[in-house]
Amino acid sequence: MAGHRGLVGSAVVRRLEEEGFTDLLLAGREQLDLRDQAAVDYWFRANRPEYVYLVAGTVGGILPNSRRPADFIYDNLMIHATVVQAAHHFGVKKLLYLGSSCIYPREAPQPMTESNLLAGPLEPTNEAYAIAKIAGIKLCAAYKKQYGCNFISGMPTNLYGPNDNFDLETSHVLPALIRKFHEAKLRGEKSVTVWGTGSPKREFMHVEDLADCCLFLMRNYEGDSHVNIGTGEDISIREVAELVRDLVYPEGELVLDSTKPDGMPRKLLDVSLLHELGWQHRIGLREGIASTYEWLQEHYGAVEDGCRGSVAPTPLRRAGDRRRSV
Ligand code: GDP
């Protein structure tokens, strides 16, 4: 498991534990820098994982993506390359790599199918991250083609849920909005600022659905194409802000800040392939936001102190933290 402390990795760990896996191999970034091939090789030699969930990376919302393109491209390129190479070299049975829906061209027809990859220019606000994520897909495909490795790729849509990054500068839109409305309620403030024009549309998936899908793909998919992972439904930023307001602070008012970027106008995944394979999401957006808000209230002290909110790489193995190979 590469990236077990992040939003996705922590959800996959919970799901694996629910399924009875007891020998997970995890590593924190203080033990292993996933950008360092020699260190990653050493870790693979010592731990010999059989199944790898490559869900680590430097991630963040629209602002850090556009302001720190060098970190986003370098960290992610290196993390993907070292782990995929080590997985091949040390004979991993299967590897699931997770990319992102931002790999598709800015002007891609909506909903976006797997074949839209590399069909046009990317959205500039997250181009560096997208290039690294595309390289990750091509890495897995190349190792599959040349060496016959059982490496597959999934492209999730915008995710949210427990353990998300709630930092207001670096997070994605949903955790930011949940926190902003919560704090406006606590402070008795009337209005909440929503970035951009409110008109872009986004598709949101709860991370527990994603974790379930990861196990499903690990067990059931061996195809050549990457697989879109989403709900197949999208909603405008204004509408999602209204939904959060209704659930968190119905008296709050939205104020749009059009000095902030909109990013992609729309980013809806075509999930026909995933549905044909036999998997569908279960958690609706209202229910998912409500439970994420409960999580935030329970962990608000830590969130306020900035315990979550890191956008640095979220790597692999903690020495002595052997919970089982996955
Ligand atoms: P994106 O999906 O890669 O564009 O990343 P984000 O989740 O950061 O942003 C999605 C959309 O929500 C963009 O149009 C943002 O401008 C908008 N948005 C509105 N309010 C916020 C906010 O408080 N934080 C973030 N990150 N985005 C916001």
Side-chain angles (χ1 to χ4, degrees):
M1 163 71 56
H4 73 281
R5 297 227 178 91
L7 169 70
V8 174
S10 61
V12 174
V13 167
R14 285 195 302 277
R15 189 80 188 85
L16 286 163
E17 287 179 338
E18 273 167 30
E19 294 264 325
F21 291 94
T22 55
D23 192 15
L24 308 183
L25 290 166
L26 313 170
R29 83 179 61 139
E30 64 288 355
Q31 271 85 36
L32 176 58
D33 183 348
L34 285 177
R35 298 166 299 183
D36 177 344
Q37 185 77 64
V40 171
D41 285 350
Y42 183 87
W43 187 91
F44 269 76
R45 189 177 294 110
N47 292 287
R48 301 281 172 172
E50 289 179 298
Y51 296 90
V52 171
Y53 289 84
L54 176 45
V55 300
T58 289
V59 298
I62 193 161
L63 283 197
N65 257 288
S66 49
R67 289 177 182 165
R68 296 176 40 222
D71 295 349
F72 277 75
I73 196 164
Y74 175 80
D75 289 354
N76 289 305
L77 276 177
M78 295 302 285
I79 290 170
H80 304 156
T82 60
V83 175
V84 166
Q85 163 63 14
H88 157 58
H89 190 75
F90 293 99
V92 160
K93 286 189 183 151
K94 192 161 183 178
L95 175 146
L96 170 65
Y97 160 72
L98 287 191
S100 156
S101 61
C102 72
I103 56 163
Y104 293 113
R106 180 179 159 85
E107 307 291 343
Q110 304 286 327
M112 306 179 294
T113 62
E114 284 82 0
S115 61
N116 292 131
L117 184 64
L118 293 175
L122 297 163
E123 156 60 34
T125 52
N126 55 29
E127 187 183 43
Y129 180 71
I131 292 280
K133 285 286 162 189
I134 294 169
I137 300 175
K138 296 296 178 188
L139 262 171
C140 292
Y143 277 74
K144 189 168 208 238
K145 190 170 176 196
Q146 185 175 340
Y147 298 116
C149 298
N150 196 359
F151 295 173
I152 57 168
S153 301
M155 295 303 122
T157 189
N158 294 41
L159 302 166
Y160 69 96
N163 273 323
D164 208 340
N165 171 11
F166 283 87
D167 178 271
L168 294 178
E169 276 284 299
T170 60
S171 70
H172 285 100
V173 60
L174 247 184
L177 290 176
I178 297 174
R179 179 172 179 179
K180 282 183 188 176
F181 278 104
H182 179 60
E183 291 184 343
K185 181 167 77 173
L186 291 181
R187 295 173 188 155
E189 289 163 1
K190 261 189 146 176
S191 62
V192 163
T193 307
V194 178
W195 296 354
T197 60
S199 57
K201 295 184 92 177
R202 292 290 183 273
E203 176 186 14
F204 296 99
M205 179 182 259
H206 194 280
V207 73
E208 276 163 21
D209 273 336
L210 174 79
D212 188 64
C213 187
C214 286
L215 269 72
F216 174 85
L217 291 174
M218 193 60 117
R219 285 175 170 143
N220 299 299
Y221 185 69
E222 304 207 337
D224 290 337
S225 170
H226 60 282
V227 182
N228 287 344
I229 306 174
T231 63
E233 297 152 20
D234 64 357
I235 175 170
S236 76
I237 295 300
R238 177 189 280 278
E239 286 168 324
V240 81
E242 287 169 353
L243 186 52
V244 175
R245 179 196 58 195
D246 295 349
L247 287 165
V248 176
Y249 181 34
E251 297 77 25
E253 286 168 21
L254 312 183
V255 176
L256 295 169
D257 173 5
S258 55
T259 64
K260 292 285 195 305
D262 268 348
M264 284 272 273
R266 209 174 167 200
K267 232 194 314 188
L268 178 63
L269 291 176
D270 183 317
V271 283
S272 318
L273 173 57
L274 188 59
H275 288 180
E276 275 162 31
L277 292 169
W279 189 89
Q280 301 230 13
H281 79 287
R282 280 191 219 117
I283 304 172
L285 188 54
R286 175 175 283 272
E287 177 197 344
I289 294 175
S291 65
T292 305
Y293 180 44
E294 270 173 37
W295 186 92
L296 176 70
Q297 287 172 289
E298 279 160 28
H299 298 84
Y300 186 64
V303 165
E304 229 186 344
D305 292 343
C307 284
R308 295 287 307 135
S310 163
V311 288
T314 313
L316 219 78
R317 157 119 192 120
R318 218 173 339 163
D321 183 11
R322 188 183 178 95
R323 285 208 257 158
R324 188 179 191 268
S325 76
V326 293

mmCIF file of all heavy atoms in Angstrom, residues 165-195:
data_model
loop_
_atom_site.group_PDB
_atom_site.id
_atom_site.type_symbol
_atom_site.label_atom_id
_atom_site.label_comp_id
_atom_site.label_asym_id
_atom_site.label_seq_id
_atom_site.Cartn_x
_atom_site.Cartn_y
_atom_site.Cartn_z
ATOM 1 N N ASN A 165 -8.169 16.341 3.029
ATOM 2 C CA ASN A 165 -7.428 17.569 3.332
ATOM 3 C C ASN A 165 -8.453 18.702 3.446
ATOM 4 O O ASN A 165 -9.104 19.041 2.462
ATOM 5 C CB ASN A 165 -6.438 17.814 2.192
ATOM 6 C CG ASN A 165 -5.777 19.171 2.285
ATOM 7 O OD1 ASN A 165 -5.889 19.854 3.298
ATOM 8 N ND2 ASN A 165 -5.093 19.568 1.229
ATOM 9 N N PHE A 166 -8.582 19.270 4.651
ATOM 10 C CA PHE A 166 -9.557 20.351 4.877
ATOM 11 C C PHE A 166 -8.889 21.717 4.927
ATOM 12 O O PHE A 166 -9.504 22.679 5.374
ATOM 13 C CB PHE A 166 -10.342 20.090 6.171
ATOM 14 C CG PHE A 166 -11.408 19.031 6.031
ATOM 15 C CD1 PHE A 166 -11.112 17.695 6.212
ATOM 16 C CD2 PHE A 166 -12.716 19.380 5.707
ATOM 17 C CE1 PHE A 166 -12.083 16.713 6.080
ATOM 18 C CE2 PHE A 166 -13.696 18.406 5.564
ATOM 19 C CZ PHE A 166 -13.375 17.071 5.756
ATOM 20 N N ASP A 167 -7.641 21.789 4.487
ATOM 21 C CA ASP A 167 -6.944 23.075 4.492
ATOM 22 C C ASP A 167 -7.568 23.991 3.420
ATOM 23 O O ASP A 167 -7.709 23.582 2.270
ATOM 24 C CB ASP A 167 -5.459 22.837 4.184
ATOM 25 C CG ASP A 167 -4.702 24.131 4.124
ATOM 26 O OD1 ASP A 167 -4.632 24.735 3.031
ATOM 27 O OD2 ASP A 167 -4.198 24.548 5.173
ATOM 28 N N LEU A 168 -7.908 25.207 3.812
ATOM 29 C CA LEU A 168 -8.708 26.037 2.909
ATOM 30 C C LEU A 168 -7.951 26.516 1.672
ATOM 31 O O LEU A 168 -8.564 26.844 0.664
ATOM 32 C CB LEU A 168 -9.286 27.237 3.666
ATOM 33 C CG LEU A 168 -10.320 26.841 4.736
ATOM 34 C CD1 LEU A 168 -10.817 28.075 5.470
ATOM 35 C CD2 LEU A 168 -11.489 26.071 4.134
ATOM 36 N N GLU A 169 -6.640 26.538 1.715
ATOM 37 C CA GLU A 169 -5.864 26.967 0.546
ATOM 38 C C GLU A 169 -5.611 25.806 -0.414
ATOM 39 O O GLU A 169 -5.620 25.979 -1.621
ATOM 40 C CB GLU A 169 -4.491 27.498 0.997
ATOM 41 C CG GLU A 169 -4.498 28.943 1.424
ATOM 42 C CD GLU A 169 -4.569 29.890 0.220
ATOM 43 O OE1 GLU A 169 -3.638 29.854 -0.603
ATOM 44 O OE2 GLU A 169 -5.536 30.655 0.115
ATOM 45 N N THR A 170 -5.341 24.622 0.165
ATOM 46 C CA THR A 170 -4.820 23.536 -0.677
ATOM 47 C C THR A 170 -5.830 22.427 -0.981
ATOM 48 O O THR A 170 -5.559 21.566 -1.808
ATOM 49 C CB THR A 170 -3.585 22.882 -0.015
ATOM 50 O OG1 THR A 170 -3.977 22.347 1.257
ATOM 51 C CG2 THR A 170 -2.469 23.880 0.181
ATOM 52 N N SER A 171 -6.986 22.451 -0.318
ATOM 53 C CA SER A 171 -7.915 21.328 -0.470
ATOM 54 C C SER A 171 -8.690 21.416 -1.784
ATOM 55 O O SER A 171 -8.625 22.401 -2.499
ATOM 56 C CB SER A 171 -8.920 21.347 0.672
ATOM 57 O OG SER A 171 -9.780 22.454 0.496
ATOM 58 N N HIS A 172 -9.473 20.380 -2.032
ATOM 59 C CA HIS A 172 -10.451 20.407 -3.113
ATOM 60 C C HIS A 172 -11.729 21.091 -2.619
ATOM 61 O O HIS A 172 -11.865 21.407 -1.443
ATOM 62 C CB HIS A 172 -10.738 18.988 -3.599
ATOM 63 C CG HIS A 172 -9.631 18.432 -4.431
ATOM 64 N ND1 HIS A 172 -8.697 17.562 -3.929
ATOM 65 C CD2 HIS A 172 -9.287 18.653 -5.719
ATOM 66 C CE1 HIS A 172 -7.828 17.259 -4.884
ATOM 67 N NE2 HIS A 172 -8.159 17.911 -5.976
ATOM 68 N N VAL A 173 -12.649 21.247 -3.556
ATOM 69 C CA VAL A 173 -13.796 22.102 -3.255
ATOM 70 C C VAL A 173 -14.698 21.562 -2.128
ATOM 71 O O VAL A 173 -15.100 22.336 -1.248
ATOM 72 C CB VAL A 173 -14.609 22.402 -4.545
ATOM 73 C CG1 VAL A 173 -15.138 21.150 -5.213
ATOM 74 C CG2 VAL A 173 -15.742 23.359 -4.262
ATOM 75 N N LEU A 174 -15.012 20.283 -2.128
ATOM 76 C CA LEU A 174 -16.000 19.809 -1.141
ATOM 77 C C LEU A 174 -15.538 19.953 0.309
ATOM 78 O O LEU A 174 -16.260 20.544 1.130
ATOM 79 C CB LEU A 174 -16.429 18.379 -1.438
ATOM 80 C CG LEU A 174 -17.880 18.233 -1.865
ATOM 81 C CD1 LEU A 174 -18.258 16.779 -2.043
ATOM 82 C CD2 LEU A 174 -18.843 18.899 -0.896
ATOM 83 N N PRO A 175 -14.344 19.436 0.653
ATOM 84 C CA PRO A 175 -13.916 19.647 2.043
ATOM 85 C C PRO A 175 -13.824 21.127 2.396
ATOM 86 O O PRO A 175 -14.167 21.524 3.519
ATOM 87 C CB PRO A 175 -12.539 18.967 2.105
ATOM 88 C CG PRO A 175 -12.135 18.722 0.693
ATOM 89 C CD PRO A 175 -13.388 18.618 -0.098
ATOM 90 N N ALA A 176 -13.387 21.952 1.425
ATOM 91 C CA ALA A 176 -13.288 23.396 1.709
ATOM 92 C C ALA A 176 -14.665 23.961 2.037
ATOM 93 O O ALA A 176 -14.829 24.697 3.017
ATOM 94 C CB ALA A 176 -12.682 24.122 0.515
ATOM 95 N N LEU A 177 -15.654 23.599 1.256
ATOM 96 C CA LEU A 177 -16.995 24.162 1.489
ATOM 97 C C LEU A 177 -17.584 23.672 2.811
ATOM 98 O O LEU A 177 -18.206 24.447 3.548
ATOM 99 C CB LEU A 177 -17.931 23.804 0.335
ATOM 100 C CG LEU A 177 -17.645 24.508 -0.995
ATOM 101 C CD1 LEU A 177 -18.579 24.001 -2.087
ATOM 102 C CD2 LEU A 177 -17.795 26.031 -0.847
ATOM 103 N N ILE A 178 -17.380 22.396 3.120
ATOM 104 C CA ILE A 178 -17.915 21.862 4.382
ATOM 105 C C ILE A 178 -17.290 22.630 5.550
ATOM 106 O O ILE A 178 -17.989 23.080 6.459
ATOM 107 C CB ILE A 178 -17.656 20.341 4.498
ATOM 108 C CG1 ILE A 178 -18.401 19.591 3.390
ATOM 109 C CG2 ILE A 178 -18.067 19.823 5.872
ATOM 110 C CD1 ILE A 178 -18.088 18.098 3.320
ATOM 111 N N ARG A 179 -15.985 22.815 5.480
ATOM 112 C CA ARG A 179 -15.306 23.537 6.571
ATOM 113 C C ARG A 179 -15.742 25.008 6.621
ATOM 114 O O ARG A 179 -15.981 25.553 7.698
ATOM 115 C CB ARG A 179 -13.789 23.439 6.391
ATOM 116 C CG ARG A 179 -13.058 24.183 7.480
ATOM 117 C CD ARG A 179 -11.575 23.950 7.446
ATOM 118 N NE ARG A 179 -10.942 24.710 8.504
ATOM 119 C CZ ARG A 179 -9.643 24.710 8.759
ATOM 120 N NH1 ARG A 179 -8.841 23.962 8.013
ATOM 121 N NH2 ARG A 179 -9.152 25.422 9.738
ATOM 122 N N LYS A 180 -15.838 25.646 5.461
ATOM 123 C CA LYS A 180 -16.203 27.075 5.451
ATOM 124 C C LYS A 180 -17.591 27.292 6.053
ATOM 125 O O LYS A 180 -17.795 28.214 6.850
ATOM 126 C CB LYS A 180 -16.187 27.614 4.020
ATOM 127 C CG LYS A 180 -14.799 27.903 3.468
ATOM 128 C CD LYS A 180 -14.937 28.501 2.062
ATOM 129 C CE LYS A 180 -13.623 28.637 1.350
ATOM 130 N NZ LYS A 180 -13.786 29.132 -0.022
ATOM 131 N N PHE A 181 -18.558 26.458 5.675
ATOM 132 C CA PHE A 181 -19.906 26.636 6.241
ATOM 133 C C PHE A 181 -19.903 26.320 7.738
ATOM 134 O O PHE A 181 -20.585 26.985 8.523
ATOM 135 C CB PHE A 181 -20.935 25.778 5.484
ATOM 136 C CG PHE A 181 -21.413 26.435 4.225
ATOM 137 C CD1 PHE A 181 -20.968 26.021 2.981
ATOM 138 C CD2 PHE A 181 -22.302 27.509 4.272
ATOM 139 C CE1 PHE A 181 -21.390 26.649 1.806
ATOM 140 C CE2 PHE A 181 -22.735 28.147 3.109
ATOM 141 C CZ PHE A 181 -22.269 27.711 1.873
ATOM 142 N N HIS A 182 -19.149 25.299 8.131
ATOM 143 C CA HIS A 182 -19.075 24.948 9.558
ATOM 144 C C HIS A 182 -18.491 26.121 10.351
ATOM 145 O O HIS A 182 -19.038 26.503 11.397
ATOM 146 C CB HIS A 182 -18.211 23.700 9.721
ATOM 147 C CG HIS A 182 -18.051 23.254 11.139
ATOM 148 N ND1 HIS A 182 -19.133 22.906 11.919
ATOM 149 C CD2 HIS A 182 -16.947 23.119 11.911
ATOM 150 C CE1 HIS A 182 -18.692 22.571 13.122
ATOM 151 N NE2 HIS A 182 -17.376 22.696 13.146
ATOM 152 N N GLU A 183 -17.426 26.702 9.860
ATOM 153 C CA GLU A 183 -16.779 27.803 10.599
ATOM 154 C C GLU A 183 -17.643 29.057 10.584
ATOM 155 O O GLU A 183 -17.691 29.791 11.580
ATOM 156 C CB GLU A 183 -15.378 28.057 10.029
ATOM 157 C CG GLU A 183 -14.480 26.884 10.363
ATOM 158 C CD GLU A 183 -13.024 27.041 9.946
ATOM 159 O OE1 GLU A 183 -12.726 27.917 9.106
ATOM 160 O OE2 GLU A 183 -12.194 26.274 10.477
ATOM 161 N N ALA A 184 -18.358 29.295 9.482
ATOM 162 C CA ALA A 184 -19.261 30.456 9.445
ATOM 163 C C ALA A 184 -20.353 30.280 10.508
ATOM 164 O O ALA A 184 -20.716 31.225 11.221
ATOM 165 C CB ALA A 184 -19.874 30.591 8.057
ATOM 166 N N LYS A 185 -20.833 29.037 10.648
ATOM 167 C CA LYS A 185 -21.864 28.762 11.669
ATOM 168 C C LYS A 185 -21.286 28.991 13.071
ATOM 169 O O LYS A 185 -21.899 29.681 13.894
ATOM 170 C CB LYS A 185 -22.361 27.317 11.520
ATOM 171 C CG LYS A 185 -23.444 26.960 12.520
ATOM 172 C CD LYS A 185 -24.134 25.660 12.170
ATOM 173 C CE LYS A 185 -23.288 24.459 12.531
ATOM 174 N NZ LYS A 185 -24.022 23.188 12.351
ATOM 175 N N LEU A 186 -20.093 28.435 13.315
ATOM 176 C CA LEU A 186 -19.470 28.595 14.643
ATOM 177 C C LEU A 186 -19.246 30.067 14.992
ATOM 178 O O LEU A 186 -19.443 30.484 16.122
ATOM 179 C CB LEU A 186 -18.099 27.898 14.685
ATOM 180 C CG LEU A 186 -18.060 26.376 14.631
ATOM 181 C CD1 LEU A 186 -16.619 25.891 14.709
ATOM 182 C CD2 LEU A 186 -18.886 25.767 15.756
ATOM 183 N N ARG A 187 -18.835 30.828 13.991
ATOM 184 C CA ARG A 187 -18.482 32.237 14.246
ATOM 185 C C ARG A 187 -19.652 33.180 14.079
ATOM 186 O O ARG A 187 -19.508 34.394 14.219
ATOM 187 C CB ARG A 187 -17.369 32.668 13.277
ATOM 188 C CG ARG A 187 -16.086 31.909 13.509
ATOM 189 C CD ARG A 187 -15.074 32.243 12.423
ATOM 190 N NE ARG A 187 -13.898 31.374 12.529
ATOM 191 C CZ ARG A 187 -13.099 31.069 11.526
ATOM 192 N NH1 ARG A 187 -13.340 31.555 10.321
ATOM 193 N NH2 ARG A 187 -12.068 30.288 11.707
ATOM 194 N N GLY A 188 -20.804 32.638 13.710
ATOM 195 C CA GLY A 188 -21.983 33.478 13.514
ATOM 196 C C GLY A 188 -21.844 34.419 12.317
ATOM 197 O O GLY A 188 -22.466 35.478 12.269
ATOM 198 N N GLU A 189 -21.012 33.985 11.334
ATOM 199 C CA GLU A 189 -20.870 34.837 10.144
ATOM 200 C C GLU A 189 -21.995 34.523 9.160
ATOM 201 O O GLU A 189 -22.448 33.385 9.064
ATOM 202 C CB GLU A 189 -19.512 34.572 9.467
ATOM 203 C CG GLU A 189 -18.345 35.113 10.278
ATOM 204 C CD GLU A 189 -17.001 34.514 9.862
ATOM 205 O OE1 GLU A 189 -16.964 33.693 8.918
ATOM 206 O OE2 GLU A 189 -15.999 34.862 10.523
ATOM 207 N N LYS A 190 -22.373 35.544 8.410
ATOM 208 C CA LYS A 190 -23.510 35.384 7.501
ATOM 209 C C LYS A 190 -23.164 34.663 6.212
ATOM 210 O O LYS A 190 -23.902 33.799 5.742
ATOM 211 C CB LYS A 190 -24.033 36.779 7.119
ATOM 212 C CG LYS A 190 -25.237 37.213 7.912
ATOM 213 C CD LYS A 190 -25.772 38.477 7.304
ATOM 214 C CE LYS A 190 -27.272 38.511 7.439
ATOM 215 N NZ LYS A 190 -27.798 39.772 6.945
ATOM 216 N N SER A 191 -22.008 35.043 5.620
ATOM 217 C CA SER A 191 -21.757 34.570 4.262
ATOM 218 C C SER A 191 -20.511 33.693 4.163
ATOM 219 O O SER A 191 -19.619 33.751 5.012
ATOM 220 C CB SER A 191 -21.612 35.764 3.320
ATOM 221 O OG SER A 191 -20.511 36.530 3.734
ATOM 222 N N VAL A 192 -20.485 32.885 3.102
ATOM 223 C CA VAL A 192 -19.369 31.980 2.819
ATOM 224 C C VAL A 192 -18.913 32.232 1.384
ATOM 225 O O VAL A 192 -19.747 32.354 0.483
ATOM 226 C CB VAL A 192 -19.824 30.515 2.997
ATOM 227 C CG1 VAL A 192 -18.862 29.553 2.334
ATOM 228 C CG2 VAL A 192 -19.979 30.193 4.462
ATOM 229 N N THR A 193 -17.588 32.304 1.205
ATOM 230 C CA THR A 193 -17.062 32.586 -0.136
ATOM 231 C C THR A 193 -16.868 31.301 -0.925
ATOM 232 O O THR A 193 -16.239 30.353 -0.443
ATOM 233 C CB THR A 193 -15.706 33.314 -0.033
ATOM 234 O OG1 THR A 193 -15.903 34.433 0.814
ATOM 235 C CG2 THR A 193 -15.217 33.780 -1.383
ATOM 236 N N VAL A 194 -17.412 31.301 -2.117
ATOM 237 C CA VAL A 194 -17.256 30.173 -3.044
ATOM 238 C C VAL A 194 -16.410 30.683 -4.205
ATOM 239 O O VAL A 194 -16.717 31.720 -4.788
ATOM 240 C CB VAL A 194 -18.636 29.703 -3.554
ATOM 241 C CG1 VAL A 194 -18.484 28.572 -4.558
ATOM 242 C CG2 VAL A 194 -19.513 29.283 -2.382
ATOM 243 N N TRP A 195 -15.337 29.975 -4.524
ATOM 244 C CA TRP A 195 -14.419 30.446 -5.570
ATOM 245 C C TRP A 195 -15.026 30.290 -6.955
ATOM 246 O O TRP A 195 -15.761 29.340 -7.230
ATOM 247 C CB TRP A 195 -13.118 29.635 -5.554
ATOM 248 C CG TRP A 195 -12.302 29.779 -4.310
ATOM 249 C CD1 TRP A 195 -12.535 30.625 -3.260
ATOM 250 C CD2 TRP A 195 -11.134 29.027 -3.975
ATOM 251 N NE1 TRP A 195 -11.576 30.458 -2.306
ATOM 252 C CE2 TRP A 195 -10.706 29.492 -2.717
ATOM 253 C CE3 TRP A 195 -10.408 28.026 -4.618
ATOM 254 C CZ2 TRP A 195 -9.581 28.960 -2.085
ATOM 255 C CZ3 TRP A 195 -9.296 27.501 -3.996
ATOM 256 C CH2 TRP A 195 -8.881 27.969 -2.741
#
